[in-house]
Amino acid sequence: MSDTDDDQELGITESKAGQTGKWYAEVVQKAGLADYAPMGGFIVTRPRGYAIWERLQENLDQMFKDDGVQNAYFPALIPESYLEQEAEIVEGFDPEVAWVTHAGTEELEERLAFRPTSESIITPYISQWVRSHRDLPMRVNQWCSVIRWEATDTKPFFRTKEFLWQEGHTAHRDEAGAWEETTTRLGQYEKLYEEVLAIPGMTGRKPDHDKFPGAEVTTTIEALMPDGKSVQAGTSHYLGTRFAEAYDLYYTDEDEDEQVAHTTSWGLSWRALGALIMTHSDDQGLVLPPTLAPEQVVVVPIWQSETKDEVLDYAAELAAELDAEFRVHLDDRDERNPGFKYNEWELKGVPLRIEIGPNEVEDGEATLVQRPDGERTVADRDAIGEAVQDALDDVYAKLYAAAEETVEERIHEAHGRNEILGTLGRHGGYVKTGWCGDEACETEIKDQIAAEIVMLPLDEDEEPVHETCGVCGEEATETAYFAKNY
Amino acid sequence: MSDTDDDQELGITESKAGQTGKWYAEVVQKAGLADYAPMGGFIVTRPRGYAIWERLQENLDQMFKDDGVQNAYFPALIPESYLEQEAEIVEGFDPEVAWVTHAGTEELEERLAFRPTSESIITPYISQWVRSHRDLPMRVNQWCSVIRWEATDTKPFFRTKEFLWQEGHTAHRDEAGAWEETTTRLGQYEKLYEEVLAIPGMTGRKPDHDKFPGAEVTTTIEALMPDGKSVQAGTSHYLGTRFAEAYDLYYTDEDEDEQVAHTTSWGLSWRALGALIMTHSDDQGLVLPPTLAPEQVVVVPIWQSETKDEVLDYAAELAAELDAEFRVHLDDRDERNPGFKYNEWELKGVPLRIEIGPNEVEDGEATLVQRPDGERTVADRDAIGEAVQDALDDVYAKLYAAAEETVEERIHEAHGRNEILGTLGRHGGYVKTGWCGDEACETEIKDQIAAEIVMLPLDEDEEPVHETCGVCGEEATETAYFAKNY
């Protein structure tokens, strides 16, 4: 295969500012992150995409474990009768459940649901494991896939019928304990976004009509994408005693009295990868923060036949030295020229390229080129480790700053139907307005511009931004954040 | 809850030498490894069981990654038409497939199989990703669950309808490359058993009639359990070109000619946990090698009210120091006495207990007690790290030696129907005999004593142990290892 064939294939042809959706799909496929599966709505996560997910998992899993969360594994299939024990769960997920009805040639006596979420199988087991107040809090988490048969268009990582996620399920003595758990996990999701994905998140509550089925409170972390749409980037639910009552989760307190437990659940899916790709990538392809990049550094030697040996030796030695501290790849392929390699590694999202040519060898230096902005610095060979660390820190800071700017420019206050619609139309992003609490006021906006209330402030007692509802003019009880969303 | 209640619950009541099956089930449940799920054949893997699995995963995953294997994730559901493209796959798994037929209230146009194994969905994608010889070898692995609806009795980890495993799928230029891959992975499984699970494994081939459906050669690692039964502890298949042909996996060689690839697949499941529990545990409960134990060391302070402060301080400081190097738990619960704690941690399989009483404090020492044999040593406080390491190494060596003895005592040669049956009846374990290659000779033994040919030597050209078949007396072409199995 010639370079020319590959070149055509390699480049991103769509632009992020233009057809954002097509550009996104192209980046996902050409950077080797995912392919479409034969069944509509499913994807195949390729090694490069999965490596990023694994690194994200490691980070979040460590936060959980440091905090007393234990991993476990529950069956992928849940009997229909278990789902039915919590009426809202079954109502909420019924239209989206994939049903196993046969095994081999036999019809099953009871249908089994491919888990859409696992409250209905995990809560009854927590209930068996918990006897006294000393067993609480109990926290279990599982990393698994779930299926929700949504009919909408597939968007890799953002919207797929099967997706990978973690789901945490906990039981506590009282509301205070369960509420603290709910916000602790939300805080960890925020930390993951800010410190690992280089994405600032905004935390809040979902309006009642958009809560997790059966939850008392659904908290959310929302991330704003460059196209002005909000992504629900993780949710943490305070479930009150409803699930505990449905699945018989009681404990004995200090006085030997039986008490009902308060439960929570919280989940973060590979939608985080979607947000990551959408936020940072550009018209050259994937851009990754060094925290998650499978290769943090690619070393590209540049040689003519007479300088080949010395350049390759120098590059290999430098790569080997860096390898102790960073994830490094030496691209010493003979059959590709440096320009081709630059394009390929830019497409694939390597945060830092080190160019080594005869000049670098002669001067005992190395040229560092950052992705995405191409900033070049020349480092002393002797201080290469430090220079690489600085450059990677620099890349992270730039990515975060750019994402932060996107959000900050796009939070506007508006009041009155026309102002809300106009502001959403002009700027995208979030429009803050007073809200009376009536879903009908959201529907009115939604019907006009497909934006909805993605978030309310976390603190229920916070004074609304305006005294009256931005839509109907009645008394406002909350501040609503309207946005278009994924 | 009083100590008495718990005591009754805690202890293992069955004996390993007596009702091995019941004893095993009791250890699994009482050590908190797994529970039975509401649907027959499924289990819930509890945090303690899952923590051991995670550690096993980490070890094996690192071996794979060091060797160029990349993880990926493919859909859990496979269209029926994909399964049908490889006739033997569909024949082999058809009676065991769980079928998704409905989504919400809609019947699907095509049934989807919950993956029983993923050759039929992974191979077509490898085929898309591979174009030229430069793309080979290509190696992908996924950690996931599969479902095989077997009707037999559930035995946690050993036999469950849904199980966790890894499945690796690779493509190579030729038979030599694929065969090397097959044996490399088998070798890594052997290494995992020997260096992480403290279980010696024996490697070999399955007879043709017991190969993976569609494979040219199925290699196996077999582990002998203390009850004399063999466990198929991992398998690695050389698939030849059959799957490549069925799923269109071709590549362009150096001369621009199209060639068919040679593929392999290899899998190891949580059956490894079953083998681990069965091999090492005893009538006091779970026994774990330090490599996999969630806690390697438990520190138990022993105090009277007047010595409480000094003992607790000393124990806490010692635990904190060890924590930098080992997985340590300090059991400073007030409401339990030391004897109760000893029993509980023995049940749960902690390899080393450190007892700290007033004497230890006074003498600047610590008492180390090994699981499973109770060997006690007294270590200087100042050299505690080294003493703990030595004790843990000692535990591992003892576990391995005991398991090795089990195998070595139980490989016997036999010739002639009666001798084979008698030897299997008396000793269990493996009986080596000449074999003509006819499945009927295996059936004859199987019908009498439920033993089968679990293994043939890896090297096909090895001379058979006897010149004639131990069953029918015709010319022997192979050495067969007969054993009862799980």
Side-chain angles (χ1 to χ4, degrees):
Chain A
M1 197 181 304
S2 71
D3 272 20
T4 326
D5 289 343
D6 272 3
D7 276 336
Q8 287 176 343
E9 233 178 76
L10 271 177
I12 301 291
T13 59
E14 300 286 345
S15 88
K16 186 174 188 177
Q19 301 264 26
T20 309
K22 286 187 180 168
W23 162 86
Y24 174 83
E26 222 188 337
V27 171
V28 165
Q29 290 201 276
K30 292 195 173 170
L33 304 179
D35 274 346
Y36 296 94
M39 313 80 77
F42 288 77
I43 60 168
V44 165
T45 308
R46 297 184 63 174
R48 192 165 190 79
Y50 197 78
I52 301 170
W53 176 245
E54 273 185 327
R55 220 166 277 282
L56 183 156
Q57 271 190 298
E58 271 170 36
N59 275 280
L60 190 56
D61 198 63
Q62 195 57 55
M63 289 187 216
F64 292 161
K65 284 185 176 148
D66 287 347
D67 218 17
V69 177
Q70 298 183 297
N71 286 337
Y73 186 77
F74 289 77
L77 303 183
I78 303 176
E80 187 166 16
S81 56
Y82 272 64
L83 272 182
E84 281 171 350
Q85 268 171 268
E86 217 301 307
E88 296 223 11
I89 276 277
V90 72
E91 265 177 45
F93 290 103
D94 225 12
E96 300 177 357
V97 169
W99 294 105
V100 171
T101 58
H102 290 73
T105 55
E106 303 282 304
E107 187 168 351
L108 299 177
E109 280 179 26
E110 181 178 12
R111 300 196 298 175
L112 302 172
F114 193 119
R115 66 167 93 79
T117 180
S118 300
E119 280 76 5
S120 54
I121 183 102
I122 293 184
T123 320
Y125 280 88
I126 292 186
S127 133
Q128 287 180 33
W129 302 333
V130 166
R131 300 197 168 177
S132 91
H133 61 94
R134 280 195 293 263
D135 300 320
L136 296 174
M138 184 169 286
R139 302 178 171 101
V140 298
N141 175 63
Q142 73 179 359
W143 293 93
C144 63
S145 82
V146 295
I147 290 187
R148 298 181 187 172
W149 210 272
E150 297 182 83
T152 50
D153 284 350
T154 310
K155 200 176 186 82
F157 305 120
F158 279 117
R159 201 165 286 278
T160 49
K161 286 182 175 133
E162 182 187 13
F163 57 86
L164 294 180
W165 79 342
Q166 61 67 217
E167 48 175 322
H169 300 268
T170 70
H172 306 263
R173 297 184 194 194
D174 50 29
E175 178 172 349
W179 183 246
E180 194 192 327
E181 179 77 17
T182 307
T183 54
T184 298
R185 296 312 149 211
L186 187 71
Q188 290 188 325
Y189 292 156
E190 194 175 9
K191 187 178 152 116
L192 180 82
Y193 276 91
E194 302 205 338
E195 297 180 11
V196 180
L197 285 90
I199 299 177
M202 291 177 60
T203 57
R205 279 175 303 127
K206 287 287 173 190
D208 279 353
H209 59 267
D210 198 23
K211 288 186 307 191
F212 176 79
E216 292 273 331
V217 181
T218 285
T219 68
T220 179
I221 172 164
E222 299 284 322
L224 192 65
M225 298 296 100
D227 61 358
K229 291 187 190 166
S230 186
V231 172
Q232 180 182 304
T235 49
S236 180
H237 317 290
Y238 169 58
L239 302 175
T241 58
R242 184 161 185 158
F243 285 77
E245 281 158 10
Y247 297 102
D248 214 22
L249 169 45
Y250 293 84
Y251 69 94
T252 313
D253 68 12
E254 283 87 342
D255 304 323
E256 300 285 323
D257 290 330
E258 191 171 74
Q259 302 287 353
V260 66
H262 293 244
T263 68
T264 80
S265 67
W266 24 277
L268 182 137
S269 79
W270 69 16
R271 179 176 275 195
L273 292 193
L276 180 82
I277 299 159
M278 184 66 88
T279 299
H280 303 302
S281 302
D282 62 22
D283 293 352
Q284 274 63 57
L286 185 65
V287 175
L288 292 172
T291 39
L292 293 176
E295 310 86 2
Q296 298 172 305
V297 179
V298 60
V299 179
V300 180
I302 307 149
W303 71 76
Q304 307 290 335
S305 55
E306 67 278 13
T307 54
K308 183 172 176 182
D309 286 352
E310 60 175 37
V311 167
L312 273 184
D313 286 352
Y314 186 94
E317 208 179 285
L318 180 137
E321 182 185 324
L322 289 175
D323 196 53
E325 215 178 326
F326 306 98
R327 299 187 290 278
V328 179
H329 178 71
L330 171 66
D331 187 354
D332 57 2
R333 284 176 295 177
D334 244 331
E335 72 273 16
R336 300 296 188 201
N337 63 50
F340 180 92
K341 293 177 182 177
Y342 296 174
N343 288 337
E344 186 176 346
W345 295 114
E346 280 178 10
L347 172 68
K348 289 188 172 172
V350 178
L352 191 66
R353 175 172 82 233
I354 301 185
E355 301 175 0
I356 301 293
N359 291 341
E360 279 81 3
V361 175
E362 198 176 316
D363 300 340
E365 292 177 340
T367 298
L368 278 51
V369 187
Q370 295 177 23
R371 175 110 174 87
D373 64 353
E375 183 175 333
R376 299 172 76 88
T377 49
V378 174
D380 271 354
R381 172 68 184 84
D382 296 340
I384 187 69
E386 207 178 312
V388 166
Q389 188 60 62
D390 288 348
L392 293 176
D393 290 347
D394 211 20
V395 167
Y396 194 95
K398 283 176 191 169
L399 294 180
Y400 189 86
E404 200 172 29
E405 212 181 298
T406 303
V407 186
E408 281 171 0
E409 282 171 355
R410 286 174 168 173
I411 306 179
H412 295 94
E413 272 182 40
H415 196 264
R417 232 167 132 274
N418 291 340
E419 201 185 329
I420 294 171
L421 292 171
T423 311
L424 280 167
R426 261 194 314 282
H427 304 289
Y430 301 107
V431 168
K432 290 167 70 168
T433 191
W435 182 46
C436 62
D438 190 343
E439 190 180 352
C441 289
E442 182 195 52
T443 309
E444 221 183 300
I445 300 295
K446 209 175 189 169
D447 287 347
Q448 299 278 330
I449 202 173
E452 59 187 63
I453 301 175
V454 296
M455 200 172 72
L456 309 170
L458 212 47
D459 177 5
E460 282 187 60
D461 300 327
E462 197 180 294
E463 283 290 306
V465 61
H466 305 125
E467 281 178 18
T468 56
C469 174
V471 185
C472 71
E474 298 288 315
E475 191 189 345
T477 53
E478 303 260 22
T479 301
Y481 287 76
F482 277 91
K484 295 186 182 179
N485 64 4
Y486 273 82
Chain B
M1 198 182 302
S2 71
D3 272 20
T4 326
D5 289 342
D6 272 2
D7 276 338
Q8 288 175 342
E9 230 177 79
L10 271 176
I12 301 291
T13 58
E14 301 285 344
S15 88
K16 187 174 188 177
Q19 300 265 27
T20 310
K22 286 187 181 170
W23 162 86
Y24 174 83
E26 221 187 338
V27 171
V28 166
Q29 289 199 278
K30 291 195 173 170
L33 304 179
D35 274 347
Y36 295 95
M39 313 80 77
F42 288 76
I43 60 168
V44 166
T45 308
R46 298 183 62 172
R48 193 166 189 80
Y50 198 78
I52 301 170
W53 176 244
E54 273 185 328
R55 220 166 277 283
L56 183 157
Q57 271 190 300
E58 270 170 35
N59 276 280
L60 190 57
D61 198 63
Q62 196 56 56
M63 289 186 214
F64 292 159
K65 284 186 175 146
D66 287 347
D67 218 18
V69 177
Q70 298 184 296
N71 286 337
Y73 185 75
F74 288 77
L77 303 182
I78 303 177
E80 187 165 18
S81 55
Y82 273 63
L83 272 183
E84 282 171 350
Q85 268 171 266
E86 218 300 308
E88 295 221 11
I89 275 276
V90 71
E91 265 177 45
F93 290 104
D94 226 13
E96 300 177 356
V97 169
W99 292 105
V100 171
T101 59
H102 290 73
T105 55
E106 303 282 305
E107 188 169 353
L108 299 178
E109 280 179 27
E110 181 178 11
R111 300 196 298 175
L112 302 172
F114 194 119
R115 65 167 94 79
T117 180
S118 300
E119 280 76 6
S120 55
I121 184 101
I122 294 184
T123 320
Y125 280 89
I126 292 185
S127 133
Q128 287 180 34
W129 301 334
V130 166
R131 299 197 170 177
S132 92
H133 61 94
R134 280 196 293 264
D135 300 319
L136 296 174
M138 185 170 284
R139 302 178 170 103
V140 299
N141 175 63
Q142 74 180 357
W143 292 93
C144 63
S145 81
V146 295
I147 291 187
R148 297 180 187 173
W149 211 272
E150 297 182 82
T152 49
D153 285 350
T154 309
K155 201 177 184 82
F157 304 120
F158 279 117
R159 200 166 286 278
T160 49
K161 286 183 175 131
E162 183 187 13
F163 58 85
L164 293 180
W165 80 339
Q166 61 65 219
E167 49 175 321
H169 300 267
T170 69
H172 306 264
R173 298 184 194 194
D174 50 28
E175 178 173 348
W179 182 247
E180 194 193 325
E181 179 77 17
T182 307
T183 54
T184 297
R185 295 313 148 209
L186 187 70
Q188 290 188 325
Y189 293 155
E190 193 175 9
K191 187 178 153 108
L192 179 82
Y193 276 93
E194 302 205 337
E195 298 180 11
V196 180
L197 285 90
I199 299 177
M202 291 178 61
T203 56
R205 279 175 302 127
K206 287 288 172 190
D208 279 353
H209 59 266
D210 198 22
K211 288 186 307 192
F212 176 79
E216 292 273 332
V217 181
T218 285
T219 68
T220 180
I221 172 163
E222 299 283 323
L224 192 66
M225 298 295 100
D227 60 0
K229 290 186 193 169
S230 185
V231 172
Q232 180 182 303
T235 49
S236 181
H237 317 289
Y238 168 58
L239 303 174
T241 58
R242 183 161 186 158
F243 285 77
E245 281 158 9
Y247 296 102
D248 215 23
L249 169 44
Y250 293 84
Y251 69 94
T252 314
D253 69 12
E254 282 88 343
D255 305 323
E256 299 286 324
D257 290 332
E258 191 172 72
Q259 302 286 354
V260 67
H262 294 244
T263 68
T264 80
S265 67
W266 24 277
L268 182 137
S269 80
W270 70 16
R271 179 176 276 195
L273 292 193
L276 180 82
I277 300 159
M278 183 66 88
T279 299
H280 302 303
S281 301
D282 61 22
D283 292 351
Q284 274 64 56
L286 186 64
V287 174
L288 291 173
T291 39
L292 293 176
E295 310 88 2
Q296 298 173 306
V297 180
V298 60
V299 179
V300 180
I302 307 149
W303 71 77
Q304 308 290 336
S305 55
E306 68 277 15
T307 54
K308 182 172 176 182
D309 286 351
E310 61 176 36
V311 167
L312 273 183
D313 285 352
Y314 185 94
E317 208 180 286
L318 180 135
E321 182 185 325
L322 289 175
D323 197 52
E325 215 178 326
F326 305 98
R327 299 187 290 276
V328 180
H329 178 72
L330 171 67
D331 187 355
D332 57 2
R333 285 177 295 176
D334 244 331
E335 70 273 16
R336 300 297 188 200
N337 63 49
F340 179 92
K341 294 178 182 178
Y342 296 174
N343 288 338
E344 185 175 348
W345 294 113
E346 280 178 11
L347 173 69
K348 290 188 171 173
V350 179
L352 190 68
R353 176 172 81 233
I354 301 185
E355 302 175 0
I356 302 292
N359 291 342
E360 278 82 2
V361 176
E362 197 175 320
D363 300 339
E365 291 176 340
T367 299
L368 278 49
V369 187
Q370 294 177 25
R371 175 106 174 91
D373 64 354
E375 184 176 331
R376 298 173 77 86
T377 49
V378 174
D380 272 354
R381 172 67 183 84
D382 294 341
I384 187 70
E386 208 177 314
V388 166
Q389 187 60 61
D390 288 348
L392 293 177
D393 290 347
D394 211 20
V395 167
Y396 194 94
K398 283 176 191 168
L399 294 181
Y400 189 85
E404 201 172 29
E405 211 181 300
T406 304
V407 186
E408 281 171 1
E409 282 171 356
R410 286 176 170 172
I411 307 178
H412 295 91
E413 273 183 41
H415 197 263
R417 236 167 127 274
N418 290 341
E419 201 185 329
I420 294 171
L421 291 171
T423 311
L424 279 167
R426 262 195 313 284
H427 304 287
Y430 301 107
V431 168
K432 289 167 71 168
T433 191
W435 183 46
C436 62
D438 190 345
E439 189 179 350
C441 289
E442 182 195 52
T443 309
E444 222 184 298
I445 300 296
K446 209 173 187 170
D447 288 347
Q448 299 277 333
I449 202 173
E452 59 187 65
I453 301 175
V454 295
M455 199 172 74
L456 310 170
L458 211 47
D459 177 4
E460 282 187 60
D461 300 327
E462 199 180 293
E463 282 290 305
V465 61
H466 305 125
E467 281 178 18
T468 56
C469 175
V471 185
C472 70
E474 298 288 315
E475 190 190 345
T477 54
E478 304 259 25
T479 301
Y481 288 75
F482 277 92
K484 295 186 183 178
N485 64 5
Y486 273 83

